Amino acid sequence: QEGAAGGAAQPAPEGTAASWAAQMGRATCLQALTSLVRLFAAHVDSLSFLLDDVLKIVRSCITHDNEAVARIGVEGLKQLLKLTGVKMGEESWLKVTDCVKQLFVGSMPVKLMTVEANASGEAQLPFRRDDVVIQCIVQLLLIDMLQETITQHYEHIPPTGVMTLLDALQSSFEFAQDFNQRIELRQTLKRMGFIREMKQLPGLLKQEREALSCSLKVLFQVQGDARMLEGDFAAKGVERLMRLCTMVLRNYVNKERILQEQADAPVPDQQAADASAAAQDAEAAAVEIEREVLGLEP
């Protein structure tokens, strides 16, 4: 992620699958979860009643405060869907899509928004940095997992499940976009030491871009899906697509206008500019806007 996000993850309770995984080596943990997934996939017809339990184990790994365990959990979920997607019925897919939505919401880096935008650089961060960074990573991993899953199994996911996944992607995209637009907050976070080693400001540009890209890919598939003609799925899909495209274009044009206005503005006296914190902040804001515009270009 070009920055970070996240509420503080809670340590896994003793005796849970995630706490057990954290005590093992990465290779052992991954092998154990992979074996579980393969066993379930091989006998999914007779073991389908255990899907809730398998998802619970995977979810406890993904929400763990250890990055390696979280990555293993996402990989386990990816393998589960890859191996069983074609075999799962509507009820099972709805359980999976609800689980994915809960994972997106639960790993959203909301703690970033708890910092006062004008807080002093001496103030302490109200969260553990590592917890927030892990949540940023999980958001990107979940989006990547959805990209693969939708490519492989779109036709097997029931319409209601497709809309649930779109809700999950929209929540990720909208949060990242909101955070990215708060330049003053991002400057404050950097002054307080969050991702201080990075040259640019903390940001969720990749999360915004990838969630948006995945949403558009799904919505274009929805337009050609005959199943969506049932109920109001088709109308909702068109409305979502039009709203998203309109928002993206307006956002892009607005930022291009701001960049052009800044380019046309007279160059201030260099010494005065160097001495002015406000001028430096304005320059940083311009750099971030330019990075975002370049990220939206094909």
Side-chain angles (χ1 to χ4, degrees):
Q1 188 90 304
E2 294 124 307
Q10 299 299 319
E14 290 296 325
T16 64
S19 65
W20 171 76
Q23 296 170 14
M24 300 190 304
R26 176 183 175 90
T28 303
C29 179
L30 180 58
Q31 183 178 8
L33 189 56
T34 299
S35 296
L36 173 64
V37 167
R38 287 178 177 172
L39 176 63
F40 179 81
H43 306 282
V44 64
D45 292 334
S46 57
L47 297 179
S48 59
F49 68 95
L50 291 176
L51 178 60
D52 288 334
D53 295 307
V54 174
L55 290 175
K56 183 178 180 180
I57 292 173
V58 171
R59 184 166 57 242
S60 68
C61 291
I62 294 174
T63 57
H64 197 272
D65 60 354
N66 180 293
E67 180 184 337
V69 175
R71 287 180 177 274
I72 289 169
V74 176
E75 182 61 29
L77 180 58
K78 184 188 298 186
Q79 291 301 314
L80 175 66
L81 299 182
K82 179 180 179 180
L83 296 174
T84 65
V86 297
K87 305 174 185 177
M88 288 196 297
E90 179 174 349
E91 182 180 356
S92 294
W93 264 115
L94 292 180
K95 288 181 179 181
V96 168
T97 54
D98 283 342
C99 176
V100 170
K101 183 178 179 179
Q102 291 170 16
L103 286 169
F104 267 99
V105 174
S107 63
M108 202 69 72
V110 295
K111 288 290 185 181
L112 287 176
M113 298 296 196
T114 63
V115 174
E116 293 291 336
N118 57 358
S120 68
E122 289 74 35
Q124 294 291 316
L125 288 170
F127 52 78
R128 288 182 62 238
R129 168 190 156 151
D130 288 350
D131 292 338
V132 169
V133 170
I134 290 171
Q135 288 193 315
C136 286
I137 292 170
V138 168
Q139 285 286 311
L140 293 179
L141 292 174
L142 288 173
I143 295 169
D144 179 69
M145 182 271 298
L146 274 191
Q147 295 265 26
E148 281 195 33
T149 299
I150 290 168
T151 299
Q152 296 169 344
H153 298 302
Y154 174 83
E155 67 274 15
H156 301 118
I157 307 173
T160 301
V162 172
M163 302 308 285
T164 298
L165 295 180
L166 283 169
D167 287 340
L169 288 166
Q170 181 174 335
S171 67
S172 183
F173 162 73
E174 289 181 345
F175 178 87
Q177 183 185 61
D178 185 22
F179 179 75
N180 290 333
Q181 290 175 347
R182 302 190 186 199
I183 302 297
E184 187 177 358
L185 170 61
R186 294 164 62 190
Q187 291 170 331
T188 299
L189 284 166
K190 189 172 181 65
R191 285 196 297 270
M192 293 173 69
F194 185 65
I195 315 295
R196 178 176 288 166
E197 67 276 9
M198 295 183 67
K199 183 177 181 180
Q200 64 267 28
L201 297 178
L204 302 175
L205 299 181
K206 188 172 184 180
Q207 179 178 326
E208 177 182 353
R209 184 172 62 245
E210 295 301 315
L212 171 62
S213 174
C214 191
S215 294
L216 289 172
K217 181 183 296 184
V218 176
L219 284 168
F220 280 119
Q221 285 185 276
V222 166
Q223 305 313 304
D225 188 349
R227 301 174 303 163
M228 293 295 176
L229 297 178
E230 302 175 6
D232 58 353
F233 294 119
K236 287 183 178 180
V238 171
E239 191 275 333
R240 277 179 182 260
L241 181 59
M242 294 302 294
R243 185 176 69 245
L244 196 58
C245 290
T246 300
M247 181 277 300
V248 171
L249 290 173
R250 284 179 177 172
N251 189 37
Y252 181 83
V253 170
N254 182 55
K255 286 180 168 55
E256 279 283 19
R257 178 183 56 79
I258 294 174
L259 289 175
Q260 189 59 50
E261 289 175 353
Q262 291 171 338
D264 295 340
V267 179
D269 176 76
Q270 186 60 44
Q271 288 186 340
D274 289 343
S276 171
Q280 292 176 1
D281 284 349
E283 182 179 356
V287 170
E288 290 306 310
I289 291 174
E290 184 174 9
R291 289 180 64 227
E292 183 173 353
V293 169
L294 291 174
L296 290 173
E297 290 180 348

